[in-house]
Amino acid sequence: MRQDLKARLGGLVLIALGLGLGWYFVLGPLQEARQGAPEVRYFLKVFAIVPLCVICGLGFVLFGERLRYADASRQNLTATGWLMFVLVAVATAAGFWWFKEQFAALGYR
């Protein structure tokens, strides 16, 4: 029971971390662009880190220690792990596309 609670709390921490990083590194530069800053800097890695934190965090919050995303004996992902990987990849691509479209609409390249 205690390990399950730790896994779920860890999931909440991951979600909070992902949302915080998204707020600062995605919405922050977008807000700067909306205010007309001549140059806006952002980090590409954050578009993968934010979905990874949020999706893995949700998995741990929902399933706790029962979340079997990897097979340690064979050192590979399970079907659940692959599903999470695909969700992260899709969210990364969609988030970056949305971000670039927002910048393009504001006149940035």
Side-chain angles (χ1 to χ4, degrees):
M1 181 71 167
R2 177 167 265 197
Q3 287 299 103
D4 189 60
L5 182 61
K6 284 182 182 179
R8 291 176 193 268
L9 290 175
L12 286 175
V13 169
L14 277 174
I15 291 170
L17 177 66
L19 293 177
L21 289 172
W23 181 269
Y24 187 78
F25 289 107
V26 176
L27 296 180
L30 189 56
Q31 186 62 29
E32 288 178 25
R34 287 183 179 144
Q35 293 174 353
E39 184 177 312
V40 179
R41 293 172 143 308
Y42 60 90
F43 301 98
L44 286 176
K45 292 177 186 175
V46 80
F47 292 99
I49 294 170
V50 169
L52 180 69
C53 288
V54 172
I55 290 170
C56 289
L58 279 173
F60 282 116
V61 166
L62 294 174
F63 300 105
E65 68 176 0
R66 295 176 303 161
L67 180 66
R68 300 287 177 234
Y69 57 91
D71 183 0
S73 64
R74 292 155 104 205
Q75 296 182 347
N76 63 359
L77 295 175
T78 63
T80 303
W82 281 109
L83 175 65
M84 291 172 70
F85 176 79
V86 168
L87 290 174
V88 169
V90 168
T92 297
F96 184 68
W97 173 81
W98 173 81
F99 187 78
K100 292 300 277 183
E101 289 297 312
Q102 293 296 312
F103 264 65
L106 294 169
Y108 290 86
R109 289 188 189 207

